[in-house]
Amino acid sequence: MGRPRDSSRDLAILDATLSLLTEVGYEQLSMEAVAGRSGAAKTTIYRRYPDKAALVAAAVERRAPAKPPQPAGESLREDVHSLAAWLARSISEQDVGLLGAVFAGMRSDARLAQAMRRILRRDETAMTDGLVRQAAERLVPGAAPLFAEVASAVIVHRVVVVGEPCDAAFVAHLVDDILLPLLRRT
């Protein structure tokens, strides 16, 4: 898509998008409101992002968390624990309103769902590649997507539904009682 999107105008557009998305939700988000909040012309926004789905996906992608830890390979438990703790921090740091707005938008807009799934698959691969490379012989087939799906679901449930933090005791429970029994080759 051409030039990098890191100018102050682009950042203002993406920040305004995230802010409005959290405030009003996906359905009520409009290019006009983003233009007003960011100070950019609506034509400028449309030139960079052809539709609302592309704009929201770009804003969410820019907000992506830091790189996941690379497994040390000392033990499968330590590697899974390190990755689960990183994932718990990454998800816990997200604004719950933003998560809800994106999830709701994915249900109602197929273009947004497709873009977000692409981003999530890329992030899943980045998160689990090191674990699979380091411990493939100790993992069940399909361990990477299983880890990503189960760990993410349990953490999101804990943060959003239960409203509790993902503290060290919770991460240890997630790893020892849920993830390792699912992932470890017996």
Side-chain angles (χ1 to χ4, degrees):
M1 282 221 183
R3 67 184 192 74
R5 293 194 173 119
D6 58 359
S7 73
S8 61
R9 177 166 313 227
D10 289 323
L11 295 179
I13 291 168
L14 298 176
D15 287 344
T17 301
L18 291 173
S19 171
L20 285 164
L21 187 59
T22 302
E23 290 171 25
V24 303
Y26 186 77
E27 292 300 320
Q28 300 303 312
L29 180 72
S30 69
M31 298 297 225
E32 293 81 9
V34 172
R37 177 77 56 98
S38 68
K42 200 164 77 167
T43 54
T44 300
I45 296 171
Y46 275 113
R47 200 174 310 119
R48 289 170 171 75
Y49 311 99
D51 56 30
K52 182 166 64 169
L55 174 61
V56 168
V60 169
E61 191 166 22
R62 179 177 132 345
R63 185 184 169 104
K67 298 267 185 227
Q70 290 304 304
E74 298 298 318
S75 78
L76 181 59
R77 186 198 182 278
E78 287 178 26
D79 291 344
V80 171
H81 187 277
S82 174
L83 201 52
W86 173 84
L87 184 60
R89 277 190 312 277
S90 297
I91 291 173
S92 296
E93 291 170 357
Q94 299 299 312
D95 183 290
V96 172
L98 178 62
L99 290 174
V102 171
F103 293 156
M106 288 175 68
R107 290 188 62 182
S108 64
D109 187 329
R111 289 180 314 272
L112 178 63
Q114 180 182 22
M116 290 306 303
R117 287 182 183 120
R118 177 190 52 78
I119 292 166
L120 292 169
R121 276 191 301 275
R122 182 206 61 210
D123 291 350
E124 174 186 311
T125 299
M127 178 176 58
T128 57
D129 267 0
L131 178 64
V132 171
R133 270 195 312 276
Q134 191 69 268
E137 72 284 347
R138 294 178 284 168
L139 298 170
V140 297
L146 189 59
F147 171 89
E149 188 170 347
V150 172
S152 298
V154 171
I155 293 167
V156 167
H157 181 269
R158 174 82 171 186
V159 170
V160 176
V161 177
V162 177
E164 293 288 329
C166 293
D167 57 13
F170 174 78
V171 172
H173 161 64
L174 173 62
V175 170
D176 294 331
D177 302 328
I178 300 169
L179 294 173
L180 284 175
L182 281 173
L183 302 174
R184 186 180 284 148
R185 213 182 267 270
T186 54

